[in-house]
Amino acid sequence: MSQRSPRKIIALILAAGASERSGFPKALARWEGQSFVRGIERAMREAGCEPCFCVVGPPWEEALRTHAPELNFLSNPRPARGMLSSLQIGIAKAQALEAEALLVALVDHPRVKVSSYRSLLTSWEEEARCLLLRATLRDSTGRKRSGRPYLLSR
């Protein structure tokens, strides 16, 4: 009987947006006594992801690095190109580290629970490590819809 080697799943928090409507970095907004970025990182680590990276960019990159110097940051020098540009930076890092998968969260979704991240990871294992899994969420009317977070596999 063959046994799988321990999985290597990297967490990626996308936080390079300019936050133009709010006028301050969403990553530093607070939810349940901690900043969005720290809460999301904690939940992803508790779910079993290691290491955890956060993609940041101007104009808030320095503020985030100062707020959470212990985080692993990846810099997106041109986040105005869109969220895909940040995702590409995270995918490149995951490939360089030979990760099996990349669990992706958006910094403005701090209410995702550890159990939701674990559920995605469990589903990925059970589905023979499929290429893409997205969380199934309920909208305000109670209807199910696919959304974030999501998991990308090699």
Side-chain angles (χ1 to χ4, degrees), residues 114-134:
V114 174
S115 60
S116 297
Y117 292 122
R118 282 187 183 139
S119 177
L120 269 174
L121 297 174
T122 299
S123 294
W124 176 70
E125 289 284 346
E126 292 172 354
E127 299 294 326
R129 300 181 181 198
C130 64
L131 185 61
L132 171 67
L133 279 173
R134 295 188 305 180

Side-chain angles (χ1 to χ4, degrees), residues 44-104:
M44 294 176 93
R45 286 186 192 277
E46 284 183 28
C49 296
E50 188 66 40
C52 182
F53 292 93
C54 181
V55 181
V56 294
W60 307 115
E61 182 170 356
E62 192 58 39
L64 288 170
R65 288 179 183 273
T66 300
H67 169 73
E70 72 284 357
L71 290 179
N72 298 304
F73 288 101
L74 301 173
S75 184
N76 182 346
R78 295 190 309 274
R81 293 181 301 163
M83 192 182 308
L84 180 58
S85 67
S86 291
L87 182 58
Q88 289 169 328
I89 290 166
I91 289 170
K93 186 64 168 182
Q95 289 173 331
L97 294 175
E98 298 181 354
E100 293 180 68
L102 183 65
L103 183 59
V104 181

